[in-house]
C-alpha cells in the first residue's frame, strides 16, 4: 500500500511517501480501506517528538480516518466487509496511524458512518467531535439554557463546540478574526460572534453575559489561557474547560475562583475509554442525521502531500497564521 510515514521524529519534511506492507488485521481488528484521513495538532506533536509516545518505525501518523471495511479479524462481532466506518485514536500508544491506503483498527475504536455523510466529512469530524462532546458533556456538564463562550468559533474544535452546544440548547458566544469568519460562525448557529481584535471585546462579552449572571461554561482553545480575565466573567458555579497549552503556566487568582464555586477542568480525548467515546460517536451520528452538525473541512489535499499538510497545520497551530478554518483532510 502507499502510505505517508517517518523513520525518525522531526520536521514535517521528515514525512516520506511510498510503499509499505498492507497490515493484517488481528483477531479484534478491522482492515479499513481508507477513504479519507484528517490532520490534528497532536499528529504534528507526535511526528516532531514534542510529545513522547512509543513509535515503531516506520511509523504512520494520523489519528482519524473514514472508509470501508475490507476484512475483519476472527473475533470481530459488530462489523463486516463492506460496512462504512469512521474512527479516531490511531497513532497513539504505539498504534500505527491512518495516513495510508489501509489501516488495521481495533473494532472498539470504529463507528458506523451515517448515510449521506462523506468519508471526508466523517474523518474531519472524528477527533474534534469526540473532543468537543467529552468536554461539553462528560466533563463540563453543559445543560439546556446555559451560556457558553468559545474562542475561535470557526476552528476545528471551536466550530464543533458551537454546533454541539446549540444542539444541546445552550446560548453561544464565540470569537473570530475577520468578517468572513464571523459570517461562517453565525451560519453554524452562534448567537453572538465577536471580533477578538476588538479593544472592547471583554466589555462586549460582559454585556452579553450580564443578564445571565455571567458565563456558565468557558471553553478555552488558546495555548496561553488568561485565567484572571476569564474568572472575572464567570457565573457562580461556572466551569472553565482547558484542552491545550502543555507548557502554559498562567496565574490563577484563587480568591475569586473559590468564592464563586468555579471549576477548572482539564481533559484529553485519548484518556477517555472506548465506551465513553462510543457515547460521543452515537450522539455525533444522530446530530449529523438530524442536520444539527456538519464537520468543517478547511482544505482537501492528496495523501502524497502529507508533509505539506503537516506544515500547514503547524503554521496555524503554533504560528497562529489564521489561514485555516476547519480541518485538513487527506485522501489516498
Amino acid at each position: 500500500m502507499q502510505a505517508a510515514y517517518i523513520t525518525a521524529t522531526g520536521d514535517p519534511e521528515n514525512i516520506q511517501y511510498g510503499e509499505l506492507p498492507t497490515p493484517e488485521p488481528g483477531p479484534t481488528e478491522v482492515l479499513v480501506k481508507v477513504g479519507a484521513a484528517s490532520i490534528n495538532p497532536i499528529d504534528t506533536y507526535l511526528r516532531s517528538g514534542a510529545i513522547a509516545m512509543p513509535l515503531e518505525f516506520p511509523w504512520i501518523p494520523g489519528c482519524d480516518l473514514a472508509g470501508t471495511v475490507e476484512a475483519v479479524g476472527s473475533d470481530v462481532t459488530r462489523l463486516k466487509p463492506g460496512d462504512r466506518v469512521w474512527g479516531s485514536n490511531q497513532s497513539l500508544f504505539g498504534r500505527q496511524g491512518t495516513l495510508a491506503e489501509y489501516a488495521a483498527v481495533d473494532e472498539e475504536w470504529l463507528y458506523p458512518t451515517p448515510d449521506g455523510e462523506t468519508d471526508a466529512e466523517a474523518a474531519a469530524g472524528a477527533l474534534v467531535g469526540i473532543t468537543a462532546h467529552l468536554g461539553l458533556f462528560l466533563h463540563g456538564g453543559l445543560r439546556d439554557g446555559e451560556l457558553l463562550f468559545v474562542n475561535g468559533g470557526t476552528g476545528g474544535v471551536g466550530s464543533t463546540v458551537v454546533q454541539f452546544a446549540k444542539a444541546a440548547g445552550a446560548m453561544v458566544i464565540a470569537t473570530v478574526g475577520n468578517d468572513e469568519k464571523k459570517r461562517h460562525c453565525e451560519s453554524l448557529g452562534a448567537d453572538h460572534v465577536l471580533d477578538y481584535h476588538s479593544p472592547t471585546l471583554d466589555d462586549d462579552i460582559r454585556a452579553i453575559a450580564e443578564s445571565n449572571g455571567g458565563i456558565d461554561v468557558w471553553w478555552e482553545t488558546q495555548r496561553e489561557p488568561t485565567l484572571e480575565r476569564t474568572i472575572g466573567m464567570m457565573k457562580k458555579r461556572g466551569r472553565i474547560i482547558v484542552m491545550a497549552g502543555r507548557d502554559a503556566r498562567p496565574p490563577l487568582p484563587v480568591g475569586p475562583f473559590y468564592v464563586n464555586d468555579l471549576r477548572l477542568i482539564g481533559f484529553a480525548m485519548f484518556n477517555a475509554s472506548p465506551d465513553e467515546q462510543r457515547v460521543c460517536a452515537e450522539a455525533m451520528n444522530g446530530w449529523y442525521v438530524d442536520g444539527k452538525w456538519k464537520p468543517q473541512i478547511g482544505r482537501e489535499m492528496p495523501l502524497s502531500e502529507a508533509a505539506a499538510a503537516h506544515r500547514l497545520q503547524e503554521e496555524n497551530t503554533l504560528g497562529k497564521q489564521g489561514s485555516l478554518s476547519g480541518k485538513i483532510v487527506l485522501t489516498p
Side-chain angles (χ1 to χ4, degrees):
M1 67 176 184
Q2 297 296 112
Y5 62 93
I6 62 172
T7 55
T9 56
D11 293 336
E13 289 69 30
N14 279 29
I15 298 176
Q16 304 175 51
Y17 181 72
E19 190 168 317
L20 291 179
T22 301
E24 293 286 338
T28 63
E29 289 182 329
V30 170
L31 182 66
V32 179
K33 181 176 174 58
V34 178
S38 66
I39 306 296
N40 294 285
I42 192 172
D43 302 329
T44 68
Y45 305 153
L46 292 170
R47 184 222 70 236
S48 70
I51 295 179
M53 281 194 185
L55 305 179
E56 182 178 337
F57 298 114
W59 178 75
I60 301 169
C63 286
D64 297 346
L65 84 165
T68 305
V69 174
E70 186 88 355
V72 300
S74 58
D75 295 338
V76 171
T77 59
R78 293 189 300 102
L79 299 169
K80 63 184 185 303
D83 287 347
R84 295 185 63 232
V85 293
W86 66 272
S88 187
N89 281 265
Q90 303 315 298
S91 78
L92 305 172
F93 307 111
R95 295 190 283 269
Q96 290 287 351
T98 61
L99 299 189
E101 292 182 311
Y102 292 91
V105 181
D106 196 289
E107 70 168 338
E108 68 182 0
W109 299 118
L110 289 171
Y111 322 105
T113 303
D115 291 342
E117 185 171 32
T118 66
D119 285 343
E121 287 179 315
L127 183 145
V128 294
I130 292 172
T131 297
H133 197 281
L134 288 169
L136 289 174
F137 304 110
L138 178 66
H139 297 293
L142 181 68
R143 296 184 292 273
D144 182 13
E146 289 194 314
L147 177 63
L148 175 136
F149 172 87
V150 59
N151 296 14
T154 61
V157 173
S159 64
T160 308
V161 168
V162 169
Q163 293 179 80
F164 287 6
K166 292 305 299 179
M171 179 176 288
V172 175
I173 306 171
T175 58
V176 295
N178 57 49
D179 288 341
E180 181 182 355
K181 290 183 178 181
K182 181 177 188 293
R183 290 189 292 271
H184 183 195
C185 194
E186 288 171 341
S187 75
L188 298 176
D191 300 281
H192 304 276
V193 184
L194 306 174
D195 186 338
Y196 58 69
H197 299 107
S198 171
T200 63
L201 175 61
D202 287 5
D203 290 338
D204 295 339
I205 295 172
R206 290 190 188 94
I208 295 167
E210 183 178 8
S211 62
N212 189 60
I215 293 167
D216 293 293
V217 176
W218 182 292
W219 186 293
E220 183 60 74
T221 61
Q222 301 303 302
R223 295 169 58 82
E224 294 289 340
T226 52
L227 294 179
E228 187 159 5
R229 165 200 181 219
T230 299
I231 286 169
M233 299 188 193
M234 299 300 293
K235 185 177 182 178
K236 281 185 170 57
R237 300 200 172 179
R239 290 85 75 199
I240 302 166
I241 298 172
V242 293
M243 39 72 72
R246 288 172 175 264
D247 297 324
R249 299 291 187 273
L252 175 66
V254 173
F257 180 80
Y258 86 81
V259 299
N260 286 295
D261 294 1
L262 300 183
R263 280 176 278 169
L264 178 63
I265 301 167
F267 81 101
M269 180 271 289
F270 51 75
N271 290 329
S273 70
D275 287 342
E276 288 171 333
Q277 296 201 32
R278 185 167 300 282
V279 170
C280 304
E282 290 171 354
M284 291 159 59
N285 281 351
W287 283 334
Y288 183 90
V289 171
D290 292 342
K292 295 180 178 180
W293 177 49
K294 186 176 179 63
Q296 302 297 294
I297 299 172
R299 189 78 59 86
E300 292 193 58
M301 304 169 69
L303 180 60
S304 58
E305 296 182 14
H310 267 236
R311 175 63 69 192
L312 177 62
Q313 182 67 63
E314 284 189 343
E315 289 170 351
N316 281 270
T317 306
L318 302 177
K320 299 182 179 180
Q321 188 178 84
S323 62
L324 190 64
S325 291
K327 302 296 295 180
I328 304 169
V329 174
L330 302 183
T331 53

